[in-house]
Amino acid sequence: MNDKPQVIRDTDDDARRQARILLRGARFAAIGVLDPETGFPFVSRVLLGMDSDGAAVILVSNLSAHTTALLADPRASLLTGEPGKGDPLAHPRLTLQCTAENVERDSDTHIRLRARFLARHPKSQLYIDFPDFRFFRLRPERASLNGGFGRAYHLGSDDFLIPKINDDLFGGVDELLRELGGKHPDLGERIAMKFHNAPEGDWRITSVDAHGLELIYKDILIRHEFVTPITNLQELLLELPKSVYPVP
């Protein structure tokens, strides 16, 4: 009989949720690539964005060593999760192995990623259109989640996939955000303060997907996960305000 404790736990919905928050709620990440000249791992830091399907997004200069490496070998790894007080190894972290996809500047994908990246990182307006900058989509392949001591999980690519929302009744997520902002201008602030103990401020909802939404205030980013995934924008428009406003 084997009495040794199981090192890797069975992946459950709580683990998937924590992994999504660690990835989608990160403003930046450490990125590991393979140096094409030496073959050694090379680690740097990048601002992190998210595409609508759950792929991570980075904006990098052609002069950066990690850009050269990704163009030569698309295999990469991201590390997210910020340590707090005490032992840094006691805090949750996510290591994600992914495949980098170079995005052509004149493509529809570039237009979409540019808008999403600016919403998350407004200060990138200063350099986002420089000709030597480019986007990479980092498609998740597999991941290792350490939720703290004794809480280790393995995840696959499907665990990070964001299902597409049915927006037939709306003009898309941008129209939904305008509608929410018009009807409930303090909705972002209420969500941030009620569910995340965030400070009072001008919190903006910058993106919405089937699993949750992103809130931004100054340099603070919060990933808010829904209790139950949504399937259409009309459902979100009706239900989200109910979670923070008093019922008459």
Side-chain angles (χ1 to χ4, degrees), residues 117-136:
F117 202 87
L118 280 173
R120 180 183 268 226
H121 302 289
K123 294 179 181 177
S124 67
Q125 178 72 54
L126 297 172
Y127 52 83
I128 196 170
D129 293 324
F130 285 1
D132 64 319
F133 273 71
R134 69 174 70 218
F135 285 112
F136 283 99

Side-chain angles (χ1 to χ4, degrees), residues 6-12 15-16 19 94-97 141-147 151-157 159-160:
Q6 185 175 351
V7 177
I8 304 299
R9 293 191 177 190
D10 293 334
T11 302
D12 54 19
R16 295 184 184 93
L94 177 74
T95 300
L96 181 69
Q97 293 177 327
E141 302 289 355
R142 59 190 61 84
S144 174
L145 168 65
N146 190 318
R151 298 186 61 243
Y153 305 87
H154 287 163
L155 298 98
S157 58
D159 293 316
F160 296 92

Side-chain angles (χ1 to χ4, degrees), residues 63 103 140 213 246:
L63 302 178
V103 177
L213 54 81

Side-chain angles (χ1 to χ4, degrees), residues 151-228:
R151 298 186 61 243
Y153 305 87
H154 287 163
L155 298 98
S157 58
D158 289 346
D159 293 316
F160 296 92
L161 182 65
I162 299 178
K164 181 176 174 54
I165 299 176
N166 180 3
D167 58 3
D168 292 342
L169 300 179
F170 260 90
V173 171
D174 290 341
E175 182 177 332
L176 170 75
L177 293 180
R178 287 192 293 270
E179 180 94 0
L180 284 173
K183 290 184 176 180
H184 312 286
D186 63 344
L187 178 60
E189 181 180 19
R190 284 176 175 264
I191 294 173
M193 295 179 65
K194 177 177 180 178
F195 296 104
H196 303 280
N197 297 317
E200 182 178 356
D202 184 22
W203 287 92
R204 297 181 296 111
I205 301 176
T206 58
S207 68
V208 175
D209 57 65
H211 287 155
L213 54 81
E214 292 181 6
L215 299 161
I216 297 284
Y217 172 57
K218 294 184 177 180
D219 290 331
I220 308 174
L221 167 66
I222 291 176
R223 171 67 184 185
H224 176 74
E225 287 273 311
F226 301 140
V227 175
T228 303

Side-chain angles (χ1 to χ4, degrees), residues 43-153:
V43 180
S44 186
R45 178 180 293 159
V46 291
L47 285 181
L48 205 59
M50 294 297 300
D51 202 356
S52 54
D53 64 351
V57 174
I58 58 174
L59 174 67
V60 292
S61 168
N62 288 338
L63 302 178
S64 300
H66 44 277
T67 302
T68 302
L70 290 175
L71 292 173
D73 187 331
R75 290 176 296 174
S77 183
L78 294 175
L79 174 65
T80 63
E82 297 184 54
K85 294 182 179 180
D87 187 347
L89 297 183
H91 296 273
R93 55 199 180 274
L94 177 74
T95 300
L96 181 69
Q97 293 177 327
C98 38
T99 300
E101 301 172 346
N102 181 39
V103 177
E104 297 296 331
R105 180 172 286 272
D106 59 351
S107 65
D108 291 340
T109 300
H110 182 275
I111 295 173
R112 180 180 72 249
L113 297 186
R114 181 184 184 279
R116 294 177 65 89
F117 202 87
L118 280 173
R120 180 183 268 226
H121 302 289
K123 294 179 181 177
S124 67
Q125 178 72 54
L126 297 172
Y127 52 83
I128 196 170
D129 293 324
F130 285 1
D132 64 319
F133 273 71
R134 69 174 70 218
F135 285 112
F136 283 99
R137 277 173 34 93
L138 303 179
R139 189 179 71 247
E141 302 289 355
R142 59 190 61 84
S144 174
L145 168 65
N146 190 318
F149 287 123
R151 298 186 61 243
Y153 305 87

